[in-house]
Amino acid sequence: MRIIIAGLLSLLFLTGCAAPSGAASSPAEPAAARSMPAPEARVENMSSSMVESSARPMPEEEVLAAYERAQRIYGWFDLAPLPTSGEPVTVNGTAYYRVDMEGMAELEDLRTYLRGVFSQELADRLLDGRTARIQYRDVNGVLFVAGEGREADPGKGQARVELEQEEETLCFVNVTVDLLGEDRETVIGLESWSFPYAFVEDRWVFTDFRLVY
């Protein structure tokens, strides 16, 4: 993952620089105005474009759709857990709740779903129970989760996404986020991330990822 932190922006930069991807410049929206993604009630079918028999250049709209999907799924481990029901079960001093979502009955269901979006290494890292803020585990063959949701970073504003094609089997989704001042409205800087999207083991996946807000 590549990250570049920009310093304070001059007034000339704020008023004269056009936004990436051809979007018109506009005042950054307050962080409070951005809605947090909510876990879905059911698991959608994986797009056929995610699994290929051979590498092919991915259309930009498919890559950007994959990025949106990856944000939503990664959020299950960092922003808000999947819906739950029932009484908690304590494992090693931690309270876990049963996941109540169609298509997510057991841990292997979640692992399979992750592998449709992320590399094997990244999927394993999310599920290892040590690095992710929200943890999932198998309890008697049933998927349980521990951890609470969080608010989006109030210091982050509007995000802009661009695609950078590196080669036939690799591209980067570049995301630039406005950094907001104490008033949560004035843009005082930029933060940029680059997420590799690669053709690995007969499928297109993100090999590194995080939420930018």
Side-chain angles (χ1 to χ4, degrees), residues 157-207:
Q158 184 179 5
R160 292 167 292 279
V161 182
E162 290 184 318
L163 177 62
E164 176 188 350
Q165 190 70 46
E166 186 75 11
E167 54 190 62
E168 189 178 58
T169 59
L170 175 65
C171 61
F172 291 91
V173 176
N174 298 325
V175 184
T176 303
V177 185
D178 291 338
L179 301 179
L180 305 179
E182 293 183 0
D183 61 3
R184 302 302 183 233
E185 294 183 2
T186 305
V187 177
I188 61 173
L190 295 175
E191 182 178 271
S192 297
W193 297 86
S194 189
F195 303 112
Y197 191 57
F199 189 77
V200 180
E201 298 179 356
D202 297 332
R203 69 183 64 223
W204 283 92
V205 293
F206 285 98
T207 58

Side-chain angles (χ1 to χ4, degrees), residues 29-39 68 71-72 79-80 150-153 156-159 211 213:
E29 62 178 272
R34 293 179 289 115
S35 59
M36 291 177 57
E68 293 296 325
Q71 282 192 101
R72 183 169 63 254
L79 192 62
R150 68 170 176 86
E151 296 293 329
D153 187 343
K156 303 288 183 67
Q158 184 179 5
L211 296 185
Y213 50 86

Side-chain angles (χ1 to χ4, degrees), residues 8-87:
L8 293 179
L9 302 178
S10 67
L11 179 60
L12 177 59
F13 178 85
L14 289 174
T15 58
C17 183
S21 302
S25 297
S26 60
E29 62 178 272
R34 293 179 289 115
S35 59
M36 291 177 57
E40 298 180 344
R42 65 177 65 220
V43 177
E44 74 270 29
N45 292 327
M46 299 302 293
S47 168
S48 60
S49 66
M50 303 300 171
V51 181
E52 302 287 342
S53 59
S54 60
R56 66 174 176 86
M58 291 287 284
E60 181 174 353
E61 60 271 17
E62 293 188 27
V63 178
L64 297 181
Y67 174 70
E68 293 296 325
R69 181 193 296 270
Q71 282 192 101
R72 183 169 63 254
I73 296 173
Y74 198 95
W76 298 345
F77 294 83
D78 183 54
L79 192 62
L82 289 170
T84 62
S85 64
E87 296 297 319

Side-chain angles (χ1 to χ4, degrees), residues 74 111 114-115 117-128 130-131 200-201 205-209:
Y74 198 95
R111 187 186 305 277
L114 287 173
R115 286 290 288 114
V117 183
F118 302 122
S119 65
Q120 180 72 59
E121 179 182 1
L122 180 52
D124 289 344
R125 192 162 74 237
L126 288 171
L127 291 172
D128 68 6
R130 296 188 301 272
T131 58
V200 180
E201 298 179 356
V205 293
F206 285 98
T207 58
D208 205 354
F209 203 82

